[in-house]
Amino acid sequence: MQSRKIPATIVTGFLGSGKTTLLRHLLQNAQGRRIAVIVNEFGELGIDGELLRGCGIGCDETGAPDGQLFELANGCLCCTVQEEFAPVMEQLAARRDQIDHLVIETSGLALPKPLVQAFQWPALRNAFTVDAVITVVDAPAVAAGRFADDPLAVDVQRRADENLDHDSPLSELFEDQLATADLVVVHKTDGLDAATLAGVEAVIRAETATGVKLVHAQHGRIDLGVLLGMERAVEDAIDQRKTHHDEEEDHDHDAFDSVSVTLQVPDRGRLLAALQSLVERHEIYRAKGFVALPGAAMRLVVQGVGTRFDSYFDRPWRADEARQTRLVLIGAGLDAAALQAELDAALGVAAVA
């Protein structure tokens, strides 16, 4: 067993595409497979890792065997592969007889190519092989023109709707994630008509290699047989997959800001209205966090992309944790103090210290 390589699937995709939802479904339907997970989070709160720990399938932080769930919260994997990533992989390699598959969920801001190239290192190549790179795409966002190839069309979208993501590095990142894909999950397709979906697929296929398959999904529901076991050995082919950032030595995230706000929330509707108004005035691409509502025993999860916000109760508050509302806002040119003040004013409560 010590000579067997652990197949690793890298799940990438833009902010809010549904990577964590897909991963949760994968873990809940593992069908006996022993799956190790590395979750990466951009921002100071490990929101996605917390959601996974609370999924009720044995990956709770206190109940899981040491090392079952790794969460790297200090930046993108592609920026930290020579720091925390290598020791984590060494631990997994030492336990290869206990692992059937490794899944790495990258940050929404991570370039997948440098991460795959890390598997060319002798220490990793001897123990792992990249089974496939899976890119998750937010179909409604693509349908709205956020990542169109035609820059004139993007300008039209900019003039028509101030809330669209129109920072050029974001479009290049989207294209790079598609250029490295072995499989594209076209996510959130429910509600899109055939003509709209065909347009989304045309945008995607313009950036993917010949032969890359597209699969449609809602709520992360895809058979594991489609996601795992592709046996592409991507580490051997990744250098031939051309991306916008091939000549860069470092992946610079200076164009992105991640700020945290702590709030007092009187009710859910008022919070969602305040957030929707906030993203209309600021370049905010993503918002997510946990909310404490007055009199509610359950914790509310809030996630938003652009002006689209979802919220749901995921579990009761634990006795040993503070019941407070903390949100992470990811975007460009963000002023934490100004955003905090605007939200406090919109919610009609005093600022939280």
Side-chain angles (χ1 to χ4, degrees):
M1 290 295 295
Q2 289 302 310
S3 62
R4 166 187 168 270
K5 290 187 178 183
I6 300 173
T9 295
I10 296 172
V11 180
T12 186
F14 198 67
L15 299 166
S17 60
K19 300 185 303 296
T20 300
T21 302
L22 179 70
L23 182 55
R24 184 186 297 110
H25 175 77
L26 185 152
L27 291 172
Q28 290 173 332
N29 296 274
Q31 300 171 347
R33 293 178 177 86
R34 298 168 299 177
I35 300 175
V37 176
I38 294 177
V39 179
N40 186 69
E41 179 55 64
F42 184 84
E44 63 183 85
L45 297 182
I47 301 263
D48 292 341
E50 175 64 18
L51 290 177
L52 288 168
R53 282 195 291 272
C55 66
I57 55 173
C59 55
D60 295 283
E61 187 174 24
T62 57
D66 181 41
Q68 179 173 329
L69 174 64
F70 296 98
E71 180 177 347
L72 310 181
N74 65 335
C76 292
L77 276 175
C78 66
C79 297
T80 60
V81 290
Q82 298 184 39
E83 299 172 14
E84 288 188 63
F85 180 62
V88 166
M89 297 298 283
E90 290 174 5
Q91 294 178 51
L92 292 175
R95 298 173 54 180
R96 72 179 72 181
D97 61 333
Q98 303 170 25
I99 298 170
D100 296 320
H101 209 101
L102 168 63
V103 178
I104 301 174
E105 179 196 4
T106 72
S107 159
L109 297 176
L111 291 172
K113 186 171 183 176
L115 176 57
V116 176
Q117 289 173 323
F119 285 81
Q120 298 172 347
W121 304 346
L124 295 188
R125 182 184 288 275
N126 293 334
F128 300 91
T129 180
V130 181
D131 187 65
V133 174
I134 296 176
T135 299
V136 185
V137 172
D138 183 334
V142 175
R146 291 183 176 88
F147 303 106
D149 289 332
D150 185 349
L152 294 178
V154 173
D155 281 340
V156 170
Q157 292 289 346
R158 286 176 176 174
R159 292 191 292 270
D161 189 340
E162 296 180 349
N163 305 319
L164 296 178
D165 298 337
H166 44 68
D167 188 283
S168 58
L170 297 180
S171 62
E172 290 184 0
L173 172 57
F174 175 74
E175 292 163 5
D176 285 359
Q177 290 173 342
L178 290 174
T180 54
D182 296 284
L183 177 74
V184 177
V185 175
V186 187
H187 206 203
K188 308 177 186 178
T189 56
D190 45 326
L192 298 182
D193 58 37
T196 301
L197 196 52
V200 169
E201 291 192 350
V203 171
I204 294 171
R205 291 193 185 281
E207 302 298 336
T208 55
T210 302
V212 171
K213 301 296 184 183
L214 277 57
V215 296
H216 299 172
Q218 301 87 35
H219 311 292
R221 295 192 295 265
I222 302 179
D223 188 275
L224 265 66
V226 175
L227 298 175
L228 307 183
M230 298 178 66
E231 300 182 352
R232 295 299 178 89
V234 187
E235 66 275 14
D236 294 331
I238 190 64
D239 293 338
Q240 282 69 54
R241 300 183 184 183
K242 302 303 180 184
T243 69
H244 290 285
H245 299 83
D246 286 346
E247 303 304 319
E248 297 183 5
E249 293 184 2
D250 297 302
H251 176 33
D252 187 358
H253 288 321
D254 289 346
F256 303 98
D257 297 318
S258 175
V259 303
S260 174
V261 293
T262 304
L263 306 169
Q264 293 178 355
V265 179
D267 61 75
R268 172 161 43 182
R270 193 162 180 175
L271 172 64
L272 296 181
L275 289 172
Q276 289 170 341
S277 178
L278 193 74
V279 300
E280 292 175 358
R281 299 188 301 274
H282 299 275
E283 198 76 7
I284 297 173
Y285 309 128
R286 185 83 162 92
K288 54 185 178 177
F290 299 124
V291 177
L293 294 178
M298 301 285 287
R299 185 179 68 175
L300 184 71
V301 177
V302 171
Q303 302 191 63
V305 180
T307 57
R308 302 199 315 272
F309 283 86
D310 296 319
S311 63
Y312 60 91
F313 291 101
D314 71 327
R315 65 165 173 81
W317 290 98
R318 295 193 299 264
D320 61 348
E321 65 183 338
R323 296 192 181 190
Q324 64 175 2
T325 296
R326 294 193 69 193
L327 301 177
V328 168
L329 307 173
I330 299 173
L334 302 185
D335 183 321
L339 295 174
Q340 179 78 61
E342 288 186 38
L343 284 172
D344 287 336
L347 294 173
V349 294
V352 177

